[in-house]
Amino acid sequence: MKIILPPPFVFLICAGGMYFLPPLGRFHTSIFFIFTIILLASLISIFSLWQFYQAKTTISPLAVEKTSYLITKGIYAFSRNPMYLSLWLILLSWFLWLGNGLAILGLFLFVFIMNQFQIKQEEQLLLRLFGKSYQQYCQRVRRWL
């Protein structure tokens, strides 16, 4: 199955859906806590993108087959998908900002869509490209965190 939507679009669809859900289970969260999550997400994203830049390999989730180097150090020693994790953290901060308990559905939907329609395909391609090295990496490092 070919990837239909780039991950940032999946992120935007989930964020938009969260915004338009009816309010249920209202709550309030400290703005400091929300911005701390945003800062963490930004750092994860910057470090993961920097590692791709240093390795001179593609960051495009739509062109995984062009990957020329398997990154397993740095932030990738903790998460196989730190860029998607950073998008999820931004969605988490959006959920907290909205203060709508029902909006948590967007967080679950994002993980489900990414796992089923993006990450599993990427993993199959990376397994074909890097074989046993990638298989060992998957055994050491979790998909998300």
Side-chain angles (χ1 to χ4, degrees):
M1 173 179 250
K2 186 78 172 140
I3 298 162
I4 299 170
L5 290 176
F9 287 133
V10 175
F11 165 84
L12 290 173
I13 289 167
C14 290
M18 291 165 73
Y19 180 79
F20 289 109
L21 285 172
L24 182 65
R26 286 288 193 195
F27 63 90
H28 297 284
T29 305
S30 159
I31 194 77
F32 176 77
F33 185 64
I34 293 169
F35 282 118
T36 301
I37 294 171
I38 292 170
L39 177 62
L40 176 63
S42 300
L43 291 173
I44 289 170
S45 182
I46 289 167
F47 286 130
S48 60
L49 289 170
W50 177 250
Q51 285 187 263
F52 268 72
Y53 174 77
Q54 286 184 314
K56 295 180 174 85
T57 190
T58 183
I59 63 166
S60 175
L62 303 178
V64 178
E65 67 279 356
K66 294 181 181 178
T67 302
S68 59
Y69 185 82
L70 180 62
I71 302 169
T72 61
K73 305 285 186 215
I75 194 106
Y76 288 89
F78 302 98
S79 172
R80 295 195 319 252
N81 297 286
M83 288 185 227
Y84 303 151
L85 176 62
S86 67
L87 289 175
W88 186 86
L89 287 169
I90 297 294
L91 278 180
L92 174 63
S93 64
W94 179 237
F95 162 69
L96 296 173
W97 176 262
L98 292 172
N100 178 1
L102 190 57
I104 199 166
L105 295 174
L107 297 170
F108 292 115
L109 181 62
F110 180 78
V111 170
F112 176 78
I113 291 171
M114 293 306 296
N115 280 339
Q116 294 303 312
F117 302 105
Q118 180 72 37
I119 294 172
K120 286 183 179 179
Q121 291 179 49
E122 288 179 1
E123 289 174 342
Q124 290 172 357
L125 283 166
L126 292 171
L127 187 58
R128 277 193 297 231
L129 287 171
F130 300 106
K132 190 169 182 150
S133 297
Y134 184 70
Q135 190 175 33
Q136 290 171 343
Y137 173 62
C138 289
Q139 290 172 348
R140 283 192 324 270
V141 179
R142 296 177 61 120
R143 185 179 277 167
W144 287 87
L145 190 62

